[in-house]
Amino acid sequence: MTGSRLRSGQLADAAGVNQQTLRYYERRGLLDSPPRSPGGHRLYPAETVALLRVIKTAQRLGFTLDEVADLLDAGKHQHRGRSDTGLQARAREKLVEIEQRLADLMVIRDTLRDAISAGCDDLVTCAGSPCCPLPFAELAEQRHTN
């Protein structure tokens, strides 16, 4: 398949994206602008399918498109010997971020469970109750200290 070219629709179908995604990724610099056929069709190298799958997988792992672009760029420049910009370092950073989000979500989950158990039915009434499990006072304090 090396050396073969795919039109936009073929590439999009093979990679599981839509054609607008291809154009967007080109504008963002994630994909090189492909040559065109004599009829004006974009002709992408077949290897672009794998690149698109890598981009989509990285996004599913929580990386933003800017972070994906940095990772792809770092991969192109690995010969410079900078381990602080590669996948290992970025994956560690992303893992810390994801673990913090998970901890935050667990607090939210537990608070919502407490609100359900307490029978909270009205936010204003609940906020005025001393047995309210929702952290209204704590949130107000955080806003004043930040």
Side-chain angles (χ1 to χ4, degrees), residues 103-120 126 132-136 138-139:
D104 292 345
L105 286 171
M106 288 172 38
V107 168
I108 292 168
R109 179 201 62 201
D110 293 344
T111 302
L112 289 172
R113 283 182 176 163
D114 291 345
I116 292 167
S117 294
C120 295
C126 187
C132 176
L134 299 176
F136 294 110
E138 294 169 25
L139 290 174

Side-chain angles (χ1 to χ4, degrees), residues 10-26:
Q10 295 169 313
L11 175 62
D13 288 344
V17 300
N18 62 50
Q19 292 183 44
Q20 290 80 15
T21 299
L22 301 178
R23 290 184 189 94
Y24 181 67
Y25 287 178
E26 283 179 39

Side-chain angles (χ1 to χ4, degrees), residues 67-111:
E67 291 169 331
V68 173
D70 289 345
L71 283 168
L72 292 173
D73 188 53
K76 291 177 187 174
H77 300 101
Q78 277 185 351
H79 62 277
R80 293 185 183 160
R82 293 192 58 197
S83 62
D84 62 331
T85 61
L87 178 58
Q88 288 290 315
R90 301 288 173 91
R92 282 187 198 95
E93 292 169 7
K94 186 55 66 176
L95 183 58
V96 168
E97 181 184 315
I98 297 295
E99 287 174 344
Q100 181 58 56
R101 274 197 263 160
L102 283 171
D104 292 345
L105 286 171
M106 288 172 38
V107 168
I108 292 168
R109 179 201 62 201
D110 293 344
T111 302

